[in-house]
Amino acid sequence: MYANISIMPAALKIVKWVGPSLKDLREFPSEVREGVGYALFVAQTGGKAHAVKPLKGFDGAGVLEIIEDHDGDTYRAVYTVRFSEFIYVHHRFQKKSKTGISTPKRDMDLVATRLKVAQEDYAQWLNQWSP
């Protein structure tokens, strides 16, 4: 009787872009943008796309990176799902190094700074809606 019911959350999480992350993402090739967009949609529904893994250097799996390869280059977009109402996209970058797997320190520092901005934004939002 109810075989055609799909399981979807009542509401998608809202995506918030920290700093110039949306503008910067628009500089990626269209195929990469589509992959990032799909991964973010999956995150909005509470899932995790195959191209996503935890970003090393942050506690737990709350800070994630989307990894997309295109024309021999690797592109990354970093976001967090630590907050119940929002997904914050912190940073995007193209991995330049062909050797080594670590994320450059300047990118990690930028993610840490923008994570603090997201935490402040979320705390402000909670204070606004708390009784």
Side-chain angles (χ1 to χ4, degrees):
M1 179 173 181
Y2 295 104
N4 292 329
I5 295 175
S6 63
I7 300 173
M8 288 288 290
L12 297 175
K13 284 188 172 186
I14 296 168
V15 175
K16 291 187 135 193
W17 303 87
V18 181
S21 55
L22 178 58
K23 179 179 89 52
D24 292 346
L25 181 66
R26 289 181 175 145
E27 296 173 5
F28 279 174
S30 62
E31 294 86 356
V32 174
R33 290 192 316 263
E34 289 173 12
V36 169
Y38 173 76
L40 290 174
F41 172 74
V42 172
Q44 284 181 284
T45 66
K48 186 174 104 177
H50 294 292
V52 174
K53 67 177 190 172
L55 181 62
K56 291 180 181 174
F58 293 90
D59 293 331
V63 178
L64 305 164
E65 65 178 333
I66 303 164
I67 303 166
E68 289 289 330
D69 294 319
H70 177 69
D71 281 347
D73 294 317
T74 299
Y75 298 85
R76 311 275 174 104
V78 179
Y79 69 96
T80 188
V81 292
R82 288 183 178 178
F83 311 103
S84 63
E85 302 294 325
F86 305 110
I87 293 170
Y88 287 90
V89 181
H90 303 292
H91 186 42
R92 71 87 191 140
F93 59 98
Q94 180 179 352
K95 189 162 187 313
K96 302 284 186 183
S97 173
K98 299 295 181 189
T99 59
I101 58 171
S102 64
T103 301
K105 182 177 178 349
R106 64 177 159 53
D107 290 310
M108 294 296 284
D109 290 346
L110 185 58
V111 169
T113 299
R114 291 185 179 170
L115 181 58
K116 288 178 186 172
V117 170
Q119 289 169 329
E120 291 168 5
D121 179 78
Y122 191 70
Q124 206 172 40
W125 180 82
L126 284 176
N127 288 336
Q128 178 183 356
W129 295 104
S130 295

